[in-house]
Amino acid sequence: MRKYAVIYRSVLMENMQYAMDIVMGFISYFMFIFVFIHLWNYMYSSPEELISGYTREQMIWYTMITEMMWFGARSGTVSGQAATDIRGGNIAYLMNKPYHYTMYILAKHTGEWSVQLPMYAVFAVVMGMTMVGKLPAFRIVTLLAIIPCIILGITINAVFKLCISLISFWIEDSNPFQWLYDKMILVVGTIFPIEIFPAQMQPFLKLTPIYTVCYGPAKLVVDFNMEKCVEILIAQTIYLAAGCGIMLLIYGRGVKKLYVNGG
């Protein structure tokens, strides 16, 4: 694990030098949230009204948290670099390094979002407190349970995006599949909570990565419940284990294909 910690630290220091690039992304985040604040203000006829069990403040904060995770953890490492390494043949060099290639990509990705996410979190809190107001039932102590859920959600998302990139061993371009996955996560779980969809769809959505990647952590922020927290952590553990298993299986078969074809 020490070598992956070194990779993490090197990427962390590298990204801290380009903090201004991250700050520029705040403009996109602000514009997105600004639109949704006014959208939900229009949808709610009164502050006491509930839509799918959410108050106006909860609905807006839900969107702010999921978008904070989306903007704060977005990176081309798990989606772009892996696919580029495979298509360009650089994978033949990297897979012989004294580390596992997939762990190298995940460690690098973690170093990137470790810089971005805290900055977006601070910006989201300032923006939310200024334009929406605080969540009445939120308690600071619940962050001890929420933060691990956020980290697991980001890691699960990275693992599945890396799985999609690894299919570049067999196809020319995995970007269309990345686009479909991103839009599914963005539209279904990031912009709107699961409860807003028809009751018939909700059990199915809870079996998808949406439940563990973005819905779960944001749900705990706006309406914390210890039983719900345990349920989400169990689901995240299962999804992370399954995702890592699929990732290692795809990578192993891809590397075997390279060896069979002479690299």
Side-chain angles (χ1 to χ4, degrees):
M1 292 300 294
R2 184 177 298 176
K3 51 181 172 286
Y4 301 115
V6 172
I7 295 169
Y8 166 79
R9 287 197 299 270
S10 63
V11 175
L12 181 66
M13 296 302 296
E14 178 183 342
N15 277 268
M16 288 180 69
Q17 298 177 20
Y18 300 98
M20 282 306 299
D21 292 339
I22 302 171
V23 173
M24 293 301 295
F26 289 167
I27 299 174
S28 298
Y29 178 83
F30 175 83
M31 292 175 63
F32 193 95
I33 297 301
F34 183 80
V35 169
F36 270 86
I37 287 175
H38 286 277
L39 173 64
W40 288 118
N41 282 336
Y42 175 78
M43 295 290 291
Y44 281 84
S45 57
S46 67
E48 294 77 22
E49 184 184 359
L50 295 178
I51 296 180
S52 300
Y54 289 77
T55 65
R56 182 183 68 89
E57 289 80 8
Q58 286 178 320
M59 192 67 81
I60 296 174
W61 273 100
Y62 175 91
T63 305
M64 293 184 68
I65 297 301
T66 54
E67 288 301 322
M68 174 201 77
M69 294 174 61
W70 181 266
F71 277 85
R74 61 180 179 176
S75 164
T77 299
V78 290
S79 57
Q81 180 177 338
T84 301
D85 286 341
I86 294 170
R87 290 197 305 268
N90 197 37
I91 186 70
Y93 167 75
L94 292 172
M95 69 184 188
N96 292 316
K97 291 286 187 177
Y99 50 70
H100 199 280
Y101 177 75
T102 59
M103 296 297 107
Y104 160 73
I105 292 293
L106 291 176
K108 186 174 181 180
H109 173 66
T110 303
E112 291 170 346
W113 68 253
S114 294
V115 175
Q116 300 177 72
L117 188 63
M119 296 175 69
Y120 275 97
V122 172
F123 186 67
V125 170
V126 172
M127 188 176 175
M129 295 295 289
T130 303
M131 303 184 67
V132 184
K134 66 178 182 178
L135 284 165
F138 179 76
R139 293 176 296 164
I140 294 292
V141 69
T142 59
L143 289 175
L144 295 175
I146 294 170
I147 290 176
C149 287
I150 292 176
I151 294 173
L152 281 171
I154 292 172
T155 305
I156 292 168
N157 186 53
V159 167
F160 277 96
K161 286 180 71 65
L162 183 53
C163 286
I164 296 173
S165 292
L166 291 175
I167 65 175
S168 294
F169 278 114
W170 293 272
I171 65 174
E172 180 66 24
D173 187 7
S174 62
N175 286 330
F177 299 98
Q178 294 283 3
W179 186 87
L180 288 172
Y181 174 83
D182 286 342
K183 293 303 174 283
M184 179 187 72
I185 296 292
L186 179 63
V187 175
V188 180
T190 304
I191 297 177
F192 304 109
I194 289 176
E195 290 88 351
I196 210 166
F197 292 92
Q200 296 84 349
M201 289 181 60
Q202 292 180 24
F204 169 74
L205 294 175
K206 289 182 179 180
L207 296 175
T208 66
I210 295 164
Y211 185 75
T212 59
V213 169
C214 51
Y215 167 82
K219 176 67 174 179
L220 293 177
V221 172
V222 301
D223 186 19
F224 184 83
N225 179 281
M226 184 54 70
E227 183 179 340
K228 190 73 171 179
C229 180
V230 172
E231 176 187 316
I232 291 168
L233 282 172
I234 292 174
Q236 287 181 321
T237 302
I238 294 172
Y239 252 97
L240 182 60
C244 288
I246 295 170
M247 177 186 70
L248 294 174
L249 177 63
I250 296 174
Y251 178 76
R253 293 197 173 184
V255 169
K256 184 178 179 181
K257 178 177 180 291
L258 282 181
Y259 283 133
V260 169
N261 292 324

